[in-house]
Structure formats: C-alpha cells, structure tokens
Amino acid sequence: MQRRAFLALALPAVLAACGADNRWASDESIRRARYVANEPPSITLFTVIGIPRGEGGHSALMINGSQRVIYDPAGSWEHPAIPERHDVLYGITPNFRNFYIDYHARSTYWVAEDTVQVPLAVADAAIRSVERQGASNKSFCAVNTGKALSRVPGFEGAPTGFSPLKLRDWFLTLPGVTSRRHMDGDPANNHDVLLRQKSGAITGYGRDGQLHVMR
C-alpha cells in the first residue's frame, strides 16, 4: 500500500495504454543516459494484459544491445532522467526497467515479459529499427511494434495488426523464448521501486528494509 500510495502522488493515474507524443531528446542527453547491461543481447516483448477479461492493453519492446533501450510506442511512462526520442527511451538501468514494469502492473493489468536472446548485431539492428519507426499515434502500439520487429533479421514474420495479444502469440512461437509474469502485489515479482518525479531521484527499499536513493 505504501508503494502504490506513493506512486499515485508521483504519476498520472491513467495507464500508459497508448497515448501519442512527439518528444525529441538532444543527442547530448541520449549520450549521457546511455546504459550498457551486463546481460546477453536480447529482445523482450512487454505485453500489458487486462484483468479479468484478458484484453491486450499495450505492447512495447526492451532491447539489450550495445545499449539498453525501451521502445514504448504511444506510451506515457516518463521520467526526467530518461531521454525520449520518438517513443524510444534511453538509459534503461535495472531500476528504470523495474519501475517501467511496476508502473504498468496494477490491480487491473498484469505484464507479460517475453524474451529472446539474439546476436549483438541483431539486437543493434532492432534498436536502429525502433529509432526509425517515428512517433506513434494513439492505439498504434502493437501495429508499430510489429512493424519495427518485421525489419529485424529473424523477426520478419511479426504481425502488424492492432492486437497486442496476437503479437504476443506470434512472439511466443520464436525459438528459445523465456517468459515472466508480473502482477501487482505479487512478492515474487514486486520490485518495490518508488519514483520522485519532481526531483528525478529514485528511492527504493534495500535488503535492510530501509529506503535508499538509487541511480
């Protein structure tokens, strides 16, 4: 309750289920934010799914290549420390990744995280593809996620319709997919990430149970 009450003060109450933007961060801010993860190159499809009806609410990609980014077409998640250029979010550290997931997982939605490991060249091709996709109009999250994927070697068969669920169904047919399910209030998947939007500082509970500033 403490976590969710805090978020209600820090963030818009409406889920980021496809709303348009046209942000263009500077080259310098993108350079400063660059984050390289110590994990194998991969492409992850996030699908936000409604509770209890199971409808698809949003599609997004997290790409771990020469840097880690999130492609959030028509999404509304944002933070002052995260530069955004036409729906591509840069500087996705583990804390920001966790907060992105926690932001979408709530009592009315859960988040499917489906990941495929790929060669570094493929992951970087995916980053270039989402960067060229451009800003998305409302409700085009699955359409443009599919279009961006379809230009990536090995992902050419991605559907480009409006259904996040159909896009996920296709993604799950790819060889080597691993999946995680993130539910609001699930201790196994609750990252306990808090965000202070006004100052840009992130605080979260450490193993000692105390709040710490995290970057």
Side-chain angles (χ1 to χ4, degrees):
M1 286 300 294
Q2 183 181 16
R3 169 175 160 271
R4 284 299 167 191
F6 189 99
L7 291 177
L9 295 174
L11 294 168
V14 179
L15 175 69
C18 303
D21 68 66
N22 194 24
R23 296 183 178 90
W24 187 264
S26 68
D27 290 344
E28 176 60 20
S29 65
I30 290 174
R31 185 194 65 77
R32 288 197 310 266
R34 182 185 182 94
Y35 173 74
V36 181
N38 294 321
E39 299 171 8
S42 62
I43 296 175
T44 295
L45 176 67
F46 289 127
T47 309
V48 182
I49 300 175
I51 301 171
R53 296 191 303 274
E55 72 278 11
H58 190 52
S59 296
L61 294 174
M62 183 172 67
I63 306 166
N64 185 36
S66 297
Q67 61 178 315
R68 187 157 69 189
V69 306
I70 286 179
Y71 175 56
D72 192 31
S76 66
W77 184 84
E78 61 181 7
H79 182 269
I82 296 294
E84 177 179 351
R85 182 178 285 185
H86 280 176
D87 297 332
V88 181
L89 308 169
Y90 297 87
I92 305 302
T93 66
N95 281 317
F96 281 121
R97 169 199 170 274
N98 290 346
F99 185 74
Y100 181 86
I101 293 170
D102 282 0
Y103 174 70
H104 291 85
R106 54 189 65 197
S107 61
T108 52
Y109 290 92
W110 65 278
V111 178
E113 179 185 4
D114 303 305
T115 300
V116 176
Q117 291 189 14
V118 297
L120 179 61
V122 172
D124 286 344
I127 293 175
R128 293 192 297 271
S129 184
V130 298
E131 287 177 330
R132 65 177 277 197
Q133 186 61 44
S136 300
N137 292 324
K138 184 178 181 180
S139 299
F140 274 69
C141 54
V143 172
N144 288 347
T145 298
K147 285 182 178 179
L149 280 173
S150 70
R151 295 191 292 263
V152 179
F155 296 80
E156 293 90 348
T160 57
F162 283 89
S163 172
L165 296 180
K166 290 182 179 179
L167 178 59
R168 184 183 185 230
D169 286 344
W170 171 83
F171 198 91
L172 289 173
T173 68
L174 297 172
V177 177
T178 60
S179 300
R180 295 184 64 189
R181 182 184 180 106
H182 301 276
M183 303 287 292
D184 179 39
D186 183 349
N189 291 301
N190 188 335
H191 303 105
D192 289 325
V193 178
L194 305 179
L195 190 69
R196 298 186 186 277
Q197 287 280 23
K198 291 183 179 179
S199 67
I202 304 174
T203 61
Y205 286 96
R207 294 183 181 276
D208 59 2
Q210 302 299 312
L211 280 172
H212 301 275
V213 175
M214 301 178 180
R215 292 290 184 184

